[in-house]
Amino acid sequence: MLNFTYHNPVKIVFGHGSIAQLPRLVPADAKILMIYGGGSIKRNGVYDQVIAALKRNPPAEFGGIEPNPRYETCLKAVERVRAEGFDFLLAVGGGSSLDAAKFVAAASVYKGNDPWDMMSNWARVPADSLPVGCVLTLPATGSEMNGGAVVSREETKEKLFFNSPHSFPRFSILDPETTYTLPSRQTANGVVDAFVHTTEQYLTIPADAPLQDRQAEAILLTLIEEGPKALAEPQNYDVRANLMWCATQALNGLIGCGVPQDWATHALGHELTALYGIDHAQSLAVVLPGMLRQQRERKRAKLLQYAERVWQLCDGDEDARVAQAIERTEEFFRSLGVGTRLSDYDIPGDAVGTVASRLEKRGVKLGEHGDLEKKDLVKILTLRV
Ligand code: NZQ
Ligand code: ZN
């Protein structure tokens, strides 16, 4: 097992009715700005629950955060925070509202010229970033229990992230009932995103870490069981609860302790979303099967373990088992209604070269060995046309 440091300070408050606990979680004298998206919380009653819970300390509001939150919109929130002196940000919604809140929390006290440098130049996220709390309505990103934030800049068509210990939410309220109103597309997206967070930390190279392996396999197996049920029975509380906890566990750092990590599927996916506007999970469903096929020799030992323990493929030729496990993964995504080919989203074939070149220019080391080159990226995406 590799060395690691693990610290996760996020308080999780889980279960139905838990939004009512907000007054105990937000400091009594806080000046709160509530940050939310395009209005789903007003249609499904979550907004009313938050306002009712905070009636003694009503929050001001900043709505209109887009899916794949935009830097330009976040800057407008930063202006309000600075002008009106808010000292607590409450994100209510999916990963986009929460990531926007984390970025605004940091950018509002950022001392440099351009807070985008926290994304593009690894400039430090301020240690005195404003505190953020969260009411999550979409299980997918794990943002509710990590220090990551992903923001898109319209002007340059970039989608970049920071990950900082100063950006953990103080608390996250996870009430599975808030997810009953998710459109099927977003429910499926959440399952795929959590699945790929897990594979990024599991389908790499063996590190003699059987506990982390089995934790990852538990998440994958649960997603495979519960994902289709959530689509069939959107108001099944236990199914929604299981999915919500899976998504949190997939990216709260625990399964990544002491093991090599990949994240190249996410890096390619972010470029696809930035350029062609597809949903985050759609981009992952496109890239992952190509990544696993192209990298199958280097990931061979873990792919065989995955084939056996997740897809019960135990007999026969090893190459065939690996190939079948990758096929089953792609079939699973498709069975949820998530397209797995560039053509499913009308993305032209020349995207392959464009995306690979953009990623190469970023100069980031990709893959668990940190050595994927442009030619590898081209091969991976060419498999997905
Ligand atoms: O904007 P509203 O009106 O709220 O509607 C949203 C949005 O249209 C809707 N929605 C959310 N909860 C709902 C609901 N509709 C009905 N009922 C509900 N309960 O769903 C749509 C998508 O919401 P969004 O927040 O964009 O989705 P998600 O949670 O998948 O977040 C995606 C963003 O998170 C980033 C992605 O790249 C993308 O920008 N990620 C963040 C990570 C992190 N911080 O750790 C890691 C991930 O890998 C990912 O990159
Ligand atoms: Zn993701």
Side-chain angles (χ1 to χ4, degrees):
M1 199 190 300
L2 309 175
N3 289 3
F4 65 89
T5 301
Y6 185 63
H7 175 73
N8 193 318
V10 183
K11 178 182 283 188
I12 296 291
V13 181
F14 194 100
H16 57 84
S18 47
I19 294 175
Q21 295 197 36
L22 269 172
R24 264 174 269 158
L25 298 164
V26 179
D29 56 351
K31 188 166 178 189
I32 311 167
L33 181 65
M34 170 170 147
I35 294 186
Y36 59 93
S40 70
I41 62 163
K42 293 204 167 164
R43 292 187 292 276
N44 63 12
V46 171
Y47 174 89
D48 291 340
Q49 287 187 61
V50 170
I51 296 299
L54 292 174
K55 61 177 182 297
R56 294 229 169 100
N57 184 10
E61 296 176 25
F62 187 96
I65 300 295
E66 310 82 3
N68 306 306
R70 289 195 190 157
Y71 171 69
E72 292 80 357
T73 307
C74 291
L75 286 189
K76 291 185 187 149
V78 170
E79 270 174 41
R80 273 200 64 192
V81 169
R82 288 182 175 161
E84 298 175 47
F86 296 107
D87 58 15
F88 194 96
L89 305 182
L90 180 65
V92 184
S96 294
S97 296
L98 178 51
D99 285 6
K102 290 176 179 179
F103 181 78
V104 172
S108 298
V109 296
Y110 184 74
K111 299 283 187 306
N113 284 337
D114 184 353
W116 187 247
D117 285 341
M118 293 185 290
M119 301 287 179
S120 60
N121 286 326
W122 306 108
R124 276 180 182 276
V125 171
D128 58 346
S129 293
L130 299 181
V132 172
C134 162
V135 175
L136 188 75
T137 65
L138 200 176
T141 62
S143 186
E144 66 275 14
M145 203 175 174
N146 69 41
V150 188
V151 175
S152 298
R153 188 167 185 165
E154 183 63 13
E155 187 193 352
T156 52
K157 292 254 174 265
E158 285 173 296
K159 182 177 183 186
L160 300 175
F161 71 96
F162 66 55
N163 196 354
S164 165
H166 308 305
S167 302
F168 283 108
R170 296 295 162 99
F171 63 82
S172 287
I173 294 180
L174 275 54
D175 178 348
E177 285 179 357
T178 65
T179 70
Y180 287 176
T181 53
L182 280 169
S184 304
R185 168 170 149 192
Q186 298 302 342
T187 297
N189 277 351
V191 174
V192 170
D193 196 16
F195 197 98
V196 181
H197 294 159
T198 310
T199 59
E200 298 274 28
Q201 300 164 87
Y202 167 72
L203 283 179
T204 58
I205 37 181
D208 204 355
L211 173 64
Q212 294 89 317
D213 280 0
R214 289 196 172 93
Q215 286 171 323
E217 287 151 5
I219 294 172
L220 296 173
L221 287 163
T222 310
L223 290 169
I224 292 165
E225 273 171 24
E226 304 291 295
K229 287 190 211 161
L231 292 175
E233 306 167 50
Q235 305 212 357
N236 182 323
Y237 180 85
D238 289 318
V239 168
R240 290 296 197 179
N242 288 322
L243 277 189
M244 211 164 195
W245 195 222
C246 266
T248 303
Q249 292 289 323
L251 198 49
N252 68 357
L254 197 60
I255 63 169
C257 288
V259 299
Q261 303 193 17
D262 183 340
W263 297 107
T265 298
H266 269 69
L268 280 165
H270 285 344
E271 298 299 330
L272 285 173
T273 298
L275 285 173
Y276 303 101
I278 61 174
D279 295 347
H280 173 58
Q282 293 172 337
S283 77
L284 305 176
V286 167
V287 177
L288 183 71
M291 181 68 64
L292 298 181
R293 278 188 193 115
Q294 207 272 335
Q295 293 288 299
R296 65 185 178 281
E297 287 314 318
R298 305 174 96 192
K299 292 178 181 287
R300 186 180 184 83
K302 292 304 285 284
L303 277 167
L304 279 167
Q305 183 177 320
Y306 171 67
E308 180 180 338
R309 295 193 190 172
V310 176
W311 296 110
Q312 289 77 50
L313 300 164
C314 312
D315 305 318
D317 175 67
E318 287 192 354
D319 288 339
R321 264 185 271 159
V322 166
Q324 261 182 295
I326 300 170
E327 270 163 39
R328 297 282 286 274
T329 309
E330 185 168 353
E331 274 166 26
F332 174 58
F333 295 162
R334 295 192 81 85
S335 76
L336 299 170
V338 184
T340 56
R341 294 260 165 196
L342 290 170
S343 55
D344 290 327
Y345 305 101
D346 298 325
I347 297 178
D350 60 12
V352 170
T354 313
V355 166
S357 299
R358 274 171 63 111
L359 211 43
E360 187 193 33
K361 275 200 204 113
R362 297 207 190 289
V364 282
K365 293 188 174 9
L366 290 174
E368 61 266 22
H369 301 279
D371 62 355
L372 291 189
E373 294 177 12
K374 185 179 168 192
K375 64 175 172 31
D376 303 308
L377 305 179
V378 167
K379 279 187 202 153
I380 290 161
L381 288 177
T382 303
L383 293 169
R384 310 313 302 149
V385 173

